Amino acid sequence: MLSAVTVIEPKDASNVSNCTRDDLIEQVKLTIISHPYLDDTLNNIRQEPVPWEDYKQVGLISENEMAMIKYVENKSIKELEPIMAEHGQYYALLYLELMQKLARVDALQKVLVFIHDMLNEHEERIFLFHKANKNNSEFPFGPFYKALGINDEFIGIQSSKLLTLLICSTPHRDIDIQAFFRWVTFQLQSRHQHVVDLHVQILDALFHIPEYRRVFWETSHAIDALIHVLKANTQSDPQKIYELTFAIWLLTFDPHVAKHLNKKCNIIPLLVDHAKTSVKEKVVRVIIATFKNLIEKAPAQNMSAMLVAKLLPLTEHLATRKWTDQEMMEDIEFVKNELQQNFQRLGTFEVYASKVETGMLQWESPSHASETFWKQNANRFNEKDQHLLRLLARLLSRSSDPVVMAIACHDIGQYIKYSTDPNSKSYLQSIGAKQRIMELMTHQDSEVKYQALCATQKYFAMTT
């Protein structure tokens, strides 16, 4: 079965909103969500008997429903062909009604297996479920949303998969997709890797619909959960990395996401690291395509951060390698050329400001030790309501990296030494920098302790 990551290739991901019915069928065929765990579980449930007669006797199902179930139960995929060709619409309605009214786990699991077998190799039959809304306004989505509330892993996963197929096969955009994204966000935090993997594939499928990218972004904790999975899979197999970066690439077609993604998640250095270490061309390809989107959609918010993350030398190296994909080579050249032009335009202070904004402070950067830099730029830390000064103070409070903390102490000390603004002292007090630096004089790291002591001495020297 095909993986969801094959849903769209980079060249056509933003042009899917005006699909014909045939186009939608083709998209559905390419959005099969698969995993060995799911295949094994389907096979196991298929072998388990369900006491349908008992359920009929207590009124859970009708005589006619039981007869229809018995007619297809234990049938092979080949044996189902003529049945579904002639009676598929009736079975779609039956399965929706059963999903809607049943609450027993074994029965729901079996119905979900029936639906899987009905759609196997015939994803176009998903439209039979869409037609069923003539009988019930909650069909076809309602029964599967209801099933998400059942405390059973398989029911949740298979219902998520079927919801995805239904959502991807309709041109209507009045679906409560945010409720589904809240569910998926919760699943991304599962301790079971197969649950996480399957729901990343689900996002890969859903994100090919442009309207839903922003909805996911605005869903509470959603993007954080997705990025956390990427960070947790740094040593994972290339297919998982591809599926994760594919989802991020699709999100960056939305200009709002492209503008805010790196500021919120610091995604650029993470993607640079993956591009450096990946041995698979398709992983590098989708990462470079993501950088291209970030540059095209929001250059002001991303170009400096890319330079700070040393993307330019990486693209210069990648441009010398032989790639099988011509479009990938063009994307590499585009990103490289844009970064080269931006590097020439940026001044030293702008590069420094980008490092502070991304929290990527390193002693190797010449600005930290340059007296000329501080003489020329110390007063600029007071601009925009002391924006940069506040960012340095935030690093002192929030960073756990002793190198970053030591450099932030050092740079605040340099600001104290060279700022000519008479309000510098009150600025440092109001943003909490003075108190935090004094606290860091007892830090366990010797360099942090030393730089905090130096900054404190400069502060009190400034006040005399």
Side-chain angles (χ1 to χ4, degrees):
M1 300 176 78
L2 292 172
S3 167
V5 297
T6 59
V7 60
I8 330 163
E9 286 302 311
K11 58 188 175 183
D12 53 20
S14 60
N15 187 28
V16 293
S17 57
N18 295 315
C19 294
T20 64
R21 172 176 167 141
D22 290 341
D23 293 331
L24 289 169
I25 291 175
E26 188 62 24
Q27 293 291 357
V28 171
K29 288 182 180 179
L30 294 174
T31 55
I32 298 300
I33 295 98
S34 64
H35 194 280
Y37 159 84
L38 197 54
D39 295 337
D40 292 342
T41 307
L42 282 162
N43 288 331
N44 291 337
I45 294 173
R46 195 176 283 112
Q47 306 304 318
E48 289 292 325
V50 174
W52 297 113
E53 291 86 354
D54 295 345
Y55 296 160
K56 180 183 75 68
Q57 290 178 3
V58 296
L60 292 178
I61 62 174
S62 68
E63 181 79 37
N64 183 58
E65 288 171 336
M66 190 183 76
M68 291 182 70
I69 291 169
K70 289 293 187 180
Y71 191 53
V72 297
E73 193 172 32
N74 301 321
K75 291 283 195 302
S76 68
I77 300 299
K78 185 176 181 180
E79 290 171 330
L80 285 173
E81 283 284 341
I83 299 173
M84 293 303 162
E86 184 175 358
H87 305 294
Q89 186 64 71
Y90 297 105
Y91 274 95
L93 182 58
L94 169 70
Y95 295 151
L96 287 171
E97 289 175 341
L98 292 175
M99 289 295 299
Q100 182 83 323
K101 69 179 181 178
L102 294 177
R104 295 187 60 93
V105 168
D106 61 341
L108 286 172
Q109 286 180 339
K110 187 70 80 168
V111 174
L112 287 167
V113 172
F114 291 158
I115 297 173
H116 171 273
D117 292 347
M118 175 183 176
L119 298 177
N120 193 21
E121 303 301 330
H122 285 280
E123 292 87 353
E124 76 280 357
R125 289 177 182 159
I126 197 72
F127 288 100
L128 299 176
F129 290 83
H130 284 294
K131 288 181 180 179
N133 69 355
K134 296 176 182 177
N135 299 77
N136 188 320
S137 62
E138 294 187 13
F139 290 173
F141 303 100
F144 299 108
Y145 271 113
K146 169 181 169 288
L148 296 180
I150 302 293
N151 186 26
D152 180 80
E153 186 176 88
F154 171 77
I155 291 175
I157 292 173
Q158 194 66 11
S159 296
S160 293
K161 174 180 173 177
L162 291 168
L163 271 172
T164 301
L165 296 178
L166 287 166
I167 291 168
C168 291
S169 58
T170 177
H172 301 297
R173 298 292 176 255
D174 56 351
I175 303 160
D176 186 9
I177 192 69
Q178 192 164 57
F180 190 29
F181 280 146
R182 286 195 293 269
W183 161 265
V184 174
T185 298
F186 183 74
Q187 302 310 305
L188 291 176
Q189 301 168 62
S190 172
R191 57 189 175 88
H192 297 137
Q193 190 60 49
H194 59 268
V195 176
V196 176
D197 294 345
L198 283 160
H199 284 86
V200 170
Q201 292 182 29
I202 282 171
L203 291 179
D204 283 341
L206 293 172
F207 287 169
H208 88 278
I209 303 174
E211 294 89 340
Y212 294 156
R213 297 163 188 162
R214 180 79 65 89
V215 179
F216 178 83
W217 173 262
E218 294 174 349
T219 300
S220 180
H221 306 301
I223 188 64
D224 298 313
L226 181 62
I227 300 301
H228 177 77
V229 175
L230 180 60
K231 290 179 178 178
N233 279 274
T234 52
Q235 304 299 322
S236 188
D237 67 80
Q239 182 63 26
K240 290 182 181 179
I241 300 301
Y242 178 74
E243 291 171 2
L244 286 160
T245 52
F246 190 93
I248 293 166
W249 166 67
L250 288 174
L251 283 173
T252 60
F253 278 95
D254 185 291
H256 180 82
V257 176
K259 182 177 180 179
H260 296 283
L261 180 61
N262 189 64
K263 183 177 181 180
K264 179 176 176 62
C265 303
N266 200 24
I267 188 67
I268 289 173
L270 182 61
L271 292 179
V272 168
D273 287 343
H274 278 298
K276 286 179 179 177
T277 58
S278 178
V279 296
K280 291 292 185 179
E281 179 172 319
K282 67 178 184 178
V283 174
V284 179
R285 179 191 182 201
V286 76
I287 291 175
I288 293 298
T290 302
F291 289 140
K292 182 181 179 184
N293 275 358
L294 293 175
I295 291 173
E296 289 183 331
K297 307 293 183 183
Q301 288 75 25
N302 294 304
M303 295 281 276
S304 298
M306 289 178 181
L307 290 170
V308 169
K310 299 182 180 179
L311 179 57
L312 178 55
L314 174 61
T315 55
E316 290 172 339
H317 167 69
L318 293 176
T320 65
R321 293 172 57 181
K322 301 295 183 183
W323 305 99
T324 61
D325 190 299
Q326 178 62 35
E327 185 180 0
M328 175 181 175
M329 295 171 62
E330 293 171 359
D331 286 353
I332 292 172
E333 283 296 319
F334 171 84
V335 174
K336 183 189 74 171
N337 292 337
E338 290 294 317
L339 289 175
Q340 286 174 338
Q341 294 175 26
N342 192 258
F343 179 74
Q344 294 169 2
R345 292 193 299 266
L346 278 180
T348 304
F349 182 77
E350 285 75 14
V351 173
Y352 171 84
S354 295
K355 291 179 181 291
V356 175
E357 289 176 351
T358 59
M360 297 181 66
L361 300 181
Q362 299 172 325
W363 285 118
E364 291 80 5
S365 301
S367 55
H368 301 297
S370 171
E371 298 295 315
T372 301
F373 172 84
W374 291 101
K375 288 178 181 178
Q376 293 176 346
N377 296 299
N379 287 333
R380 297 187 67 178
F381 283 68
N382 300 322
E383 296 174 355
K384 299 179 181 179
D385 192 29
Q386 301 85 49
H387 175 65
L388 272 181
L389 203 59
R390 292 177 186 274
L391 289 178
L392 284 173
R394 187 180 303 170
L395 289 176
L396 290 177
S397 299
R398 299 184 180 180
S399 178
S400 58
D401 186 340
V403 173
V404 173
M405 296 169 72
I407 295 173
C409 285
H410 170 273
D411 289 2
I412 289 178
Q414 292 297 83
Y415 162 79
I416 293 169
K417 181 177 180 180
Y418 290 103
S419 175
T420 60
D421 190 321
N423 296 312
S424 297
K425 175 185 174 182
S426 61
Y427 294 154
L428 292 168
Q429 289 177 326
S430 65
I431 64 177
K434 172 198 168 185
Q435 180 181 353
R436 181 57 179 157
I437 288 173
M438 294 180 69
E439 292 171 352
L440 292 175
M441 288 193 296
T442 59
H443 196 273
Q444 60 184 7
D445 183 86
S446 58
E447 185 64 21
V448 174
K449 186 186 302 183
Y450 171 74
Q451 295 297 342
L453 176 62
C454 291
T456 301
Q457 290 174 340
K458 290 174 182 176
Y459 176 86
F460 284 109
M462 178 184 69
T463 63
T464 57

